[in-house]
Structure formats: C-alpha cells, structure tokens
Amino acid sequence: MTRTFLQAAARLDLIPLWFTPFFSTGGVSVPKRAAILRKLAPYRVRPDLPLVFQLIGHDARSLAATAAGFGEYGVNGINLNFACPSKTVTASGNGAYLLRSPETVFDLTRAAVEAVPEGVSVSVKLRAGWDLPDRIREIVRAVCDAGADWIVFHYRTAAEAYRPVDASERVRRIACAVEAAGSVPVFGNGDIVSSADAESLVRSTGCAGVAVGRGFLSDPWLVRRILSGDENPASEEEKHTFLRLLLAGTDSTKRGRNWFLECVKMTYGADSTEFKEARESAWDALRTRWS
Ligand SMILES: Cc1cc2nc3c(=O)[nH]c(=O)nc-3n(C[C@H](O)[C@H](O)[C@H](O)COP(=O)(O)O)c2cc1C
C-alpha cells in the first residue's frame, strides 16, 4: 500500500526524488541482479525522477560488490543505512548497530565510495548514536572522511527508537552533525510535519534541508508545502486524482478499504463531507465515486 501511495505521489509531482526503503545485501553474499531489478520496478512509473537506492549491510566486500553493479541500473546514488533501530536488523549487526563503531562505519562507507561507478553518489543515513548521543561528531566525521556526498541525520539514538526527545535536544544534535560535517550537506530528519517545522529546523541548525518520513505518509502534500511555502497547495482536482490512483491500487479487502478511508480522511479531513460519505459507502459506491 505504501508503494501505491508513493507511486500516486510521484505521478502528481509531490516528491522531488525517489529514496527507496533499504535493500539488504544479505550478510556476505552479493544480491542477484534480478532481485535488484525487481526492487527497482515500482520506481519506473517516474523514471525521470532522481533515484537513490538504499542498501543495508555490514560486510565491506559485499557492499562494495553490490555498489559496483549500480552503473547499469540507472540510479543516481546509493544510500547506506546506519540508522535502522529494528531488533531484527540490529541483531544481525546491521543498521544502527554499526554506530557502535565509527571505524566500521568509515570502512563500509569507504568501500562503497571506492566501488561505485562514476556518476553514482554515495550518501548515508545516520542516527545520533547507538545508546547515547555522545559520538555524533566522530560518526559524522567518519562518513565525511570516507567520502560520503551527503547525510540524512535522524536526531534520535537507536535506543530512543521513536520516543519523544526534547525539541532543544533535537536542535543541538542536528547542529552538532552539521558542524562536524563541514561542507558535506546534512539533511535533518525526525518529526517534521509542517513547512514551519522544516523552516525552523533549517534556521536553527544550519542543515542543508530536511528529509521527511511519517509526516509525508500522513500528508502527501507535505514536501510540496515545504518547498513552495504554500499551506494549501492541492487543488480539488488533484485530491480527486490522488484518491483515484490510490483506489486503483487498493485490494477489495477490509484492510484495503480501511486504508483507503484513512487516505480520504487525510486528504479532506475527519470532519469533511467526503470522509463522512466515504465511511458510509459500500465498496462499489466508493469505486464509482472516486473512479
Ligand atoms: C515503518 C517505517 C519504515 C522505515 N523504513 C526505513 C528505511 O527503509 N530506510 C530508512 O532510511 N529509514 C526508514 N525509516 C525511518 C524514516 O526514514 C525516518 O528516519 C524516521 O521515521 C524519522 O523521521 P520521521 O519522523 O519524518 O518519520 C522507516 C520508518 C518507519 C516508521
């Protein structure tokens, strides 16, 4: 469903680039070409958008061999995930687990930088640390010294998962990453839900821009709001088109219907006639209404 959501957003020009979910290089093996091509298929709906393909792994040779193959896939960059806090991921030594060792982060980034074909950038996704945010400078320097082109920095540590952290601490950590990165652009990430948020984060930390996750999934116009400064950037026609595209990719199950209703709510608001009508309609009526 997230894929349908992203494809609809891309078709309506609501995102400036593709940034894929992580793809595991799977321990020490090198992923098969067919598996990577399968992962890339959904992004072909807008082949003109820059595409950053995210990799996760902990073996420098496997990451390098994977990165080396990216000349033929038509991607603009690869992004190395040193940020995922999920237990399944960290238990196998991947994602944010690697933040425990800035030296390893350096080695992995370096291996990718040396392996990628000309014209493919290498960026990284970081959190502020594993259990404490006390090595931000070291971690950021490691990826910059290894040759990373840019950084997405989620301000929480892995141990903080998605728990609330004081707003001033968010600023402190991102500003520290920006300062340590020097001329390497840092995109601040975490809890951005409005253009005012984004603007204030850029102003208070000096970050080059922002990256949004959950805020975008609950407001597909968020990136456009941030880039244009317009708080109401969606026409009625566009909202309708967005919902029509979502509905076309939604299966006729209870889960599919509930998801679609959530999307109507998010597009028009919980008090809107559109949402109230949609909630009371049967599937067939919904399909007729939005097709
Ligand atoms: C369900 C879920 C899946 C995620 N998958 C990825 C991923 O594959 N790669 C990644 O870099 N970040 C992933 N993230 C983290 C987000 O990109 C982002 O860093 C984090 O949610 C904080 O930003 P936000 O508050 O804007 O959501 C995921 C987050 C969630 C909630």
Side-chain angles (χ1 to χ4, degrees), residues 173-190:
R173 294 179 189 180
I174 296 177
C176 175
V178 169
E179 214 244 319
S183 59
V184 176
V186 174
F187 296 88
N189 171 241

Side-chain angles (χ1 to χ4, degrees), residues 244-257:
R244 182 169 55 72
L245 290 170
L246 293 185
L247 194 61
T250 305
D251 48 38
S252 303
T253 58
K254 193 171 169 207
R255 190 161 157 257
R257 183 173 191 275

Side-chain angles (χ1 to χ4, degrees), residues 19-22 54 81 125 154 156 162 189-192 211-215:
F19 191 107
T20 74
F22 67 72
Q54 191 177 67
N81 184 315
K125 172 78 181 293
H154 180 185
R156 294 182 178 89
Y162 284 91
N189 171 241
D191 305 333
I192 293 159
V212 293
R214 293 165 300 168

Side-chain angles (χ1 to χ4, degrees), residues 199-232:
E199 206 182 303
S200 133
L201 193 73
V202 169
R203 204 172 342 100
S204 56
T205 65
C207 64
V210 298
V212 293
R214 293 165 300 168
F216 176 72
L217 292 176
S218 55
D219 173 9
W221 284 274
L222 178 61
V223 175
R224 189 187 282 173
R225 278 185 228 285
I226 292 171
L227 292 175
S228 69
D230 181 356
E231 275 309 311
N232 296 300

